[in-house]
Amino acid sequence: MGLNIGQSNGKTPDRGHGLYVTALVMVIVAGFSVIGRLAARWMKRKFGMDDYTIVLSLVEAVVHGYGKHKKDLTHEELMAALK
């Protein structure tokens, strides 16, 4: 039994897998964008609060419910996502 991420249950037609792939690609693109920005700032030796904020935002989005429905989040995940 493997992982069933974004797969249809066979009973109800849905677009879960396509949405999962789209979300995954967007997270990867966002990650590379952040890495590119940080590399450029590292070369200039100019880190600012905006750099720390962008990293924190990306981590929070991925860890605390990125791509999940509100009803599927635990209370703790919902509170962390809404901060």
Side-chain angles (χ1 to χ4, degrees):
M1 184 147 98
L3 240 94
N4 190 14
I5 298 175
Q7 300 293 324
S8 174
N9 63 8
K11 298 175 186 173
T12 308
D14 63 27
R15 302 172 125 188
H17 184 68
L19 293 172
Y20 171 74
V21 170
T22 302
L24 182 63
V25 168
M26 296 308 290
V27 168
I28 291 170
V29 169
F32 280 128
S33 297
V34 170
I35 289 170
R37 176 190 171 97
L38 293 177
R41 300 286 269 203
W42 175 263
M43 286 185 233
K44 291 185 176 185
R45 305 273 190 249
K46 275 183 92 173
F47 279 105
M49 280 305 294
D50 54 338
D51 299 307
Y52 297 112
T53 304
I54 198 169
V55 170
L56 181 63
S57 297
L58 182 62
V59 170
E60 287 287 322
V62 172
V63 172
H64 293 291
Y66 185 86
K68 292 183 184 178
H69 289 282
K70 183 179 175 182
K71 66 181 180 176
D72 294 331
L73 297 175
T74 64
H75 180 71
E76 291 78 20
E77 289 173 330
L78 182 61
M79 290 299 106
L82 293 176
K83 284 186 179 179

